[in-house]
Amino acid sequence: MKAKVENQSATLLQEEVFREKADHYLVCFIDNCPLCEQCLRWLVGQYADTTPLAYNAINPRNPRIGGEQCEMFRKNQLVMMKKGMKKLYLDMPGRVEYQIRRLLIQKWGRRQYFEARRGDRLITPDMQDDVLHACRHFGWTGPIVFDGEEEYWLW
């Protein structure tokens, strides 16, 4: 019974997120695509409002779209995202912290770095790799500690 309630709650959350994303996410309406059931763009498109006459959607006539090797395919899979990086620097020497921070700002941009650091932006697996490589590059061998984590879609 508990699993059924959790599953229904997860489905409602997914519907809410997909409805919200449909307004500003590049969606796909190619129903005969072999990947459509697994593609975030197609699934979000199913929640798109039907009243607008035009929509921001993928061009179905492009030959690189709608097949097994679709360039716009986004897997409908929840991934573990990290949240916040304030704990990352707690035990680090100031010199190492400065170098890591500078490298991440250079790679991600100042705004994205500080949004990720505060926890306003989720840290994707690729960004987590950037943090790991920056820490190891500047000699930090201690643990890589983020403030939290949550499962979310990799848009």
Side-chain angles (χ1 to χ4, degrees):
M1 179 71 172
K2 183 180 177 184
K4 185 176 180 180
V5 170
E6 287 177 4
N7 195 15
Q8 287 175 337
S9 146
T11 301
L12 290 174
L13 171 66
Q14 176 178 322
E15 288 179 12
E16 181 181 322
V17 170
F18 284 7
R19 277 192 208 334
E20 178 189 318
K21 281 287 185 184
D23 292 338
H24 57 275
Y25 189 60
L26 184 63
V27 296
C28 180
F29 296 112
I30 305 172
D31 293 331
N32 63 347
C33 174
L35 302 174
C36 71
E37 299 278 331
Q38 306 158 8
C39 183
L40 268 177
R41 295 187 190 282
W42 184 83
L43 291 168
V44 170
Q46 304 309 297
Y47 293 93
D49 186 3
T50 57
T51 55
L53 295 176
Y55 231 92
N56 188 23
I58 293 170
N59 178 6
R61 296 179 65 190
N62 187 308
R64 298 182 317 242
I65 303 301
E68 293 288 338
Q69 301 299 319
C70 180
E71 290 182 16
M72 300 304 286
F73 175 75
R74 294 291 179 273
K75 187 146 181 72
N76 176 29
Q77 179 180 7
L78 292 170
V79 295
M80 191 54 68
M81 305 278 232
K82 302 298 183 183
K83 189 171 185 175
M85 297 189 302
K86 293 177 183 171
K87 292 180 183 177
L88 176 67
Y89 301 118
L90 287 179
D91 296 328
M92 232 177 247
R95 177 185 55 80
V96 174
E97 173 188 347
Y98 172 77
Q99 291 172 319
I100 292 169
R101 186 172 10 118
R102 212 174 83 205
L103 181 67
L104 293 175
I105 289 172
Q106 182 181 16
K107 183 156 181 91
W108 300 344
R110 188 170 193 78
R111 179 178 177 190
Q112 186 172 333
Y113 169 80
F114 282 104
E115 286 174 351
R117 186 172 190 272
R118 284 191 310 265
D120 297 339
R121 174 186 296 265
L122 292 175
I123 303 166
T124 67
D126 287 343
M127 293 169 76
Q128 293 170 38
D129 286 343
D130 291 343
V131 172
L132 174 67
H133 287 85
C135 289
R136 298 307 181 233
H137 177 76
F138 290 112
W140 176 249
T141 57
I144 308 298
V145 181
F146 294 94
D147 301 347
E149 63 183 21
E150 65 182 67
E151 277 192 323
Y152 204 67
W153 292 272
L154 190 57
W155 301 102

